[in-house]
Amino acid sequence: MAPRSSAMSVPGPERTRLLVTAALFSALLGASAYVAIPTPWGVPFTLQVLAVLLAGLVMPPVWAFASVAVYLLLGAAGVPVFAGPSGGWGVLAGHTGGYLAGFALAAPTVAVWSDALSRVTSRAVSAALACASGIAIIYLLGWLRLGGVTGMSPAEAFAVGVLPYIAVDAVKAAAAVALAAALRRAGVVRTAPASA
């Protein structure tokens, strides 16, 4: 499989398709924040991790990052696209801001690893491992920010900001892998060429 790289050398129609796909994923990220289950410790269960992983599985790294960056910029500008619903810089600076920053790093990481690993293993296995790397990034940044803002010890922050989500996010990763495969089979998305 050819790697997915620079956005500028993509032919016009392909660039338009990727732009539309990225915009749809920005909207999907915002919509998935509305499917939120509050928790006693203040970090809600949402479908956003699923959207982030799926973006990385179906778009080149630059476009996967762009889709999350647009979402974060809208939220920072005050559009209520964060869980709650909420918006504004205060959310990004708050106790859940690390998870949001993690989204921006996780999406392109998933894209890079899914391509790189697909050269040595099956698409399903490479996608699953790539999703695991994306979730690890989200957890790491979220865990560090949660502890830093709240004053929790590392163990406490891990217990409330990571541990309760592992099983649920494993299901989301499996769903992202299955959805990406289904979207490819249906021709809705396709693996981008090397110049993408």
Side-chain angles (χ1 to χ4, degrees):
M1 181 191 319
R4 299 174 287 182
S5 54
S6 167
M8 291 297 103
S9 57
V10 180
E14 181 67 8
R15 188 179 303 120
T16 300
R17 184 187 69 79
L18 287 167
L19 181 60
V20 170
T21 304
L24 288 172
F25 270 99
S26 295
L28 180 62
L29 258 173
S32 63
Y34 282 76
V35 183
I37 301 172
T39 65
W41 46 89
V43 181
F45 288 100
T46 72
L47 292 178
Q48 291 180 292
V49 169
L50 171 61
V52 168
L53 298 178
L54 187 58
L57 291 176
V58 302
M59 286 189 290
V62 169
W63 293 93
F65 172 79
S67 68
V68 179
V70 167
Y71 161 76
L72 293 176
L73 288 172
L74 287 171
V79 179
V81 293
F82 299 145
S86 60
W89 281 106
V91 178
L92 291 173
H95 68 285
T96 60
Y99 299 98
L100 295 168
F103 293 168
L105 293 178
T109 298
V110 170
V112 168
W113 278 110
S114 65
D115 272 354
L117 293 171
S118 69
R119 297 185 194 113
V120 295
T121 187
S122 70
R123 187 186 293 269
V125 171
S126 65
L129 292 173
C131 286
S133 72
I135 290 171
I137 288 171
I138 295 168
Y139 285 170
L140 177 62
L141 295 184
W143 171 52
L144 293 174
R145 184 68 182 165
L146 180 63
V149 169
T150 63
M152 293 180 188
S153 70
E156 290 171 329
F158 187 86
V160 301
V162 175
L163 201 55
Y165 303 90
I166 293 174
V168 174
D169 286 337
V171 173
K172 292 176 194 173
V177 172
L179 282 170
L183 289 171
R184 284 195 187 91
R185 282 195 303 271
V188 176
V189 297
R190 59 185 180 270
T191 302
S195 60

